[in-house]
Amino acid sequence: MPSPIVITNNIRKLRFFANEMTQQELAEKAGASRQTIIAIEAGKYSPSLEMAFRIADAFGVSITEVFAHEVKEK
Amino acid sequence: MPSPIVITNNIRKLRFFANEMTQQELAEKAGASRQTIIAIEAGKYSPSLEMAFRIADAFGVSITEVFAHEVKEK
DNA sequence: ACAATATGTACAATATACTTGACATTTTGT
DNA sequence: ACAAAATGTCAAGTATATTGTACATATTGT
């Protein structure tokens, strides 16, 4: 049984730091749909590694500055 | 059109650094199937962010030490 | 040479991410 | 109060990751 993992993100904070970037703008920069940004930002599901890199690139930061994870010990 | 991204990894190198860890062992530590490890290590597809974190954890390193990416400019 | 272990391939089935489109709610500015 | 922009939700469809099974090839040790 894989120990479940909880992935968190600070997309919201990063958007505000980045001159109040809107979800729409982020979506365009990251090459994703707005729905995808909403869902990931809200933590509804975790992105693919590719999408994670794209989002980090959109902000010009490392992927580790956008996403963090905790291991839920069994 | 989202600019395509190429994701590379050094799972193979990390396995050998990590006391010759086998794909099977890595799969168990990361909570994945052996198929998944083979496919990701061979670059057949890029993993989910969750799986990427699990693999990094299995080696005890940061996700950025396992995966890198290049942006294929259009 | 043989057995055991490790790695690789192929395929179908399932789970999850991502998309599009349409509509509801909230926030912001005038 | 009103309009516009931003955020959020729902659902159906497509794309991609992950799994299990089974078999093939390579590597290692005796």
Side-chain angles (χ1 to χ4, degrees):
Chain A
M1 300 78 202
S3 7
I5 235 179
V6 176
I7 296 185
T8 60
N9 73 84
N10 12 45
I11 295 180
R12 196 140 206 146
K13 289 175 190 165
L14 284 164
R15 282 201 298 116
F16 292 141
F17 269 124
N19 207 31
E20 302 275 341
M21 184 189 297
T22 74
Q23 293 177 329
Q24 180 69 46
E25 289 168 340
L26 175 54
E28 285 163 7
K29 276 201 176 188
S33 71
R34 196 171 62 88
Q35 303 308 322
T36 298
I37 299 299
I38 291 176
I40 295 172
E41 179 173 312
K44 292 196 175 182
Y45 53 71
S46 61
S48 64
L49 182 60
E50 182 168 345
M51 185 60 71
F53 272 131
R54 287 230 198 90
I55 293 173
D57 284 351
F59 289 124
V61 302
S62 164
I63 194 175
T64 58
E65 296 182 57
V66 187
F67 299 96
H69 74 297
E70 300 163 12
V71 180
K72 285 275 185 212
E73 269 321 327
K74 67 144 240 87
Chain B
M1 297 81 195
S3 7
I5 235 180
V6 176
I7 296 185
T8 60
N9 74 83
N10 11 43
I11 294 180
R12 197 140 207 147
K13 288 176 191 165
L14 284 165
R15 283 201 297 116
F16 292 142
F17 270 124
N19 206 30
E20 301 276 342
M21 183 188 298
T22 73
Q23 292 177 330
Q24 180 69 47
E25 288 169 340
L26 175 54
E28 285 161 8
K29 275 201 178 190
S33 70
R34 195 171 63 90
Q35 303 309 320
T36 299
I37 299 300
I38 290 176
I40 295 172
E41 178 173 314
K44 293 196 173 181
Y45 53 71
S46 59
S48 65
L49 181 59
E50 183 168 345
M51 185 59 72
F53 272 132
R54 286 229 198 91
I55 293 173
D57 284 351
F59 289 125
V61 302
S62 164
I63 194 176
T64 58
E65 296 182 59
V66 186
F67 299 96
H69 75 296
E70 300 163 10
V71 180
K72 283 273 183 214
E73 269 321 327
K74 71 135 239 89

